[in-house]
Amino acid sequence: PEKVIPRAMILSSLILIVLYTSVVYVTVRVVPVEVLKEQTSPIAFAAELVMGKAGAMLISGVIIIAGLAAVNSAIMAQSRILYALSRDRYLPGVLSAIHGRFHSPHVASLFSLIFTVAVTLLGDVNFVAYLVNFGFVIGFAFVNLSLIKLRKEKPWMRRPFKSPLFPAVPLAGISISIILLLFLDKAALIVGGESIMFALLAYYLRMVGYSRLRLAVGGISLGTGVLTVFLAFMAGTRLVMFDLPGLKIIPPAYILISFGFIQVLAGILNIVPTSPKSGHLKNGGKDNKV
């Protein structure tokens, strides 16, 4: 398997590249590009011109089967990603449940299926396709980036298969992924970028741990409270006048001062170390990451 599987993956990829490129080449040679743009199924339309109705039905059937296979692969991959994230405690633990008979992450698979159907029902198939392509391209880029990182940081690891021409191959993969992003829809790029930012935030919160997160929140609350009290005091003593356009009702100074003191108290309570018996800190008061 150490030799057969890598060879099979490389050979199958080359075959698919040649096959898909040939189909697209024949399609654009048979039908002008201007005409293909107006068709919902360009390949089936070209097949109908060449082979008639029977050819169009045959090609449509092949496309449907290929689409179902692609969806099945995507659901399987997505469920395994959810399982891994849940196992590492980035997602709820229920997603890492394993079926007793089939030994598969059935909860993650069911969630992936429901999510796929829900996204499909949005109606905008093109946007969904662009969004899926964004996810795949970003995934490929990170796989190549991880390859470079692992080869540099852990050269001693046993590797049954090594990428040839390192680091040219992974760098080429990253470059091609970036180029492909330029052809995606802008809305898909925005949504995908926001998803990445959310994922990075979740990863950061997971890595910093509970106690450090408390310190950060406590510091923000303490600073906000002190600033609020100071500004409210200055406004109440008329030492500073605030001209806020569009704000017709300005809260009295004592309300702002009360709010500021609450913020200060919340900040102090978050900064003060918690007793190990409280349940937030375990293992003798050590940081318990969430």
Side-chain angles (χ1 to χ4, degrees):
E2 297 178 355
K3 295 182 179 180
V4 175
I5 293 179
R7 291 175 180 175
M9 294 177 63
I10 295 175
L11 182 60
S12 60
S13 299
L14 293 176
I15 293 175
L16 289 176
I17 290 174
V18 174
L19 179 61
Y20 286 176
T21 304
S22 301
V23 170
V24 173
Y25 176 77
V26 172
T27 302
V28 297
R29 293 291 294 180
V30 172
V31 184
V33 178
E34 292 74 14
V35 179
L36 290 176
K37 290 181 179 180
E38 301 176 357
Q39 307 300 322
T40 56
S41 181
I43 297 179
F45 178 77
E48 183 177 359
L49 294 179
V50 177
M51 298 180 290
K53 292 288 185 180
M57 294 180 61
L58 176 63
I59 295 299
S60 298
V62 172
I63 293 175
I64 292 174
I65 294 175
L68 292 175
V71 171
N72 179 66
S73 301
I75 293 177
M76 296 292 289
Q78 182 181 359
S79 63
R80 268 58 183 181
I81 293 174
L82 293 176
Y83 166 77
L85 291 174
S86 174
R87 180 192 59 193
D88 295 339
R89 299 174 60 188
Y90 291 106
L91 293 177
V94 66
L95 294 175
S96 59
I98 300 297
H99 195 276
R101 178 182 177 185
F102 301 106
H103 305 287
S104 60
H106 59 292
V107 178
S109 300
L110 181 61
F111 179 83
S112 301
L113 176 61
I114 295 175
F115 179 79
T116 302
V117 173
V119 172
T120 305
L121 294 178
L122 292 177
D124 193 348
V125 179
N126 290 331
F127 175 75
V128 174
Y130 279 123
L131 199 59
V132 171
N133 290 334
F134 176 86
F136 275 112
V137 171
I138 291 296
F140 294 149
F142 274 99
V143 166
N144 287 280
L145 187 62
S146 300
L147 172 61
I148 297 176
K149 181 178 177 63
L150 287 175
R151 289 283 287 268
K152 293 293 185 181
E153 294 186 355
K154 298 182 179 180
W156 44 265
M157 288 184 63
R158 180 177 177 270
R159 294 177 172 86
F161 174 79
K162 287 187 177 182
S163 175
L165 303 177
F166 180 85
V169 172
L171 288 177
I174 296 174
S175 302
I176 294 174
S177 299
I178 295 175
I179 294 174
L180 291 176
L181 289 176
L182 301 177
F183 295 93
L184 297 181
D185 184 67
K186 292 183 179 180
L189 291 176
I190 294 175
V191 174
E194 292 175 349
S195 301
I196 291 178
M197 295 299 296
F198 178 78
L200 290 176
L201 177 61
Y203 175 78
Y204 175 76
L205 294 179
R206 168 68 175 81
M207 294 302 295
V208 298
Y210 178 78
S211 61
R212 293 185 180 180
L213 181 60
R214 282 192 59 181
L215 289 175
V217 174
I220 294 174
S221 298
L222 185 60
T224 304
V226 172
L227 180 61
T228 303
V229 172
F230 175 75
L231 293 178
F233 174 77
M234 298 293 286
T237 56
R238 303 293 180 177
L239 295 177
V240 176
M241 300 298 295
F242 295 97
D243 184 13
L244 301 177
L247 186 60
K248 298 181 179 180
I249 301 177
I250 300 178
Y254 64 87
I255 295 181
L256 293 178
I257 293 177
S258 301
F259 175 77
F261 275 121
I262 293 175
Q263 287 288 99
V264 171
L265 180 61
I268 294 175
L269 291 177
N270 275 287
I271 293 177
V272 173
T274 308
S275 172
K277 297 181 180 180
S278 64
H280 293 303
L281 297 178
K282 299 179 181 180
N283 301 325
K286 295 181 180 179
D287 186 10
N288 182 31
K289 295 183 179 180
V290 293

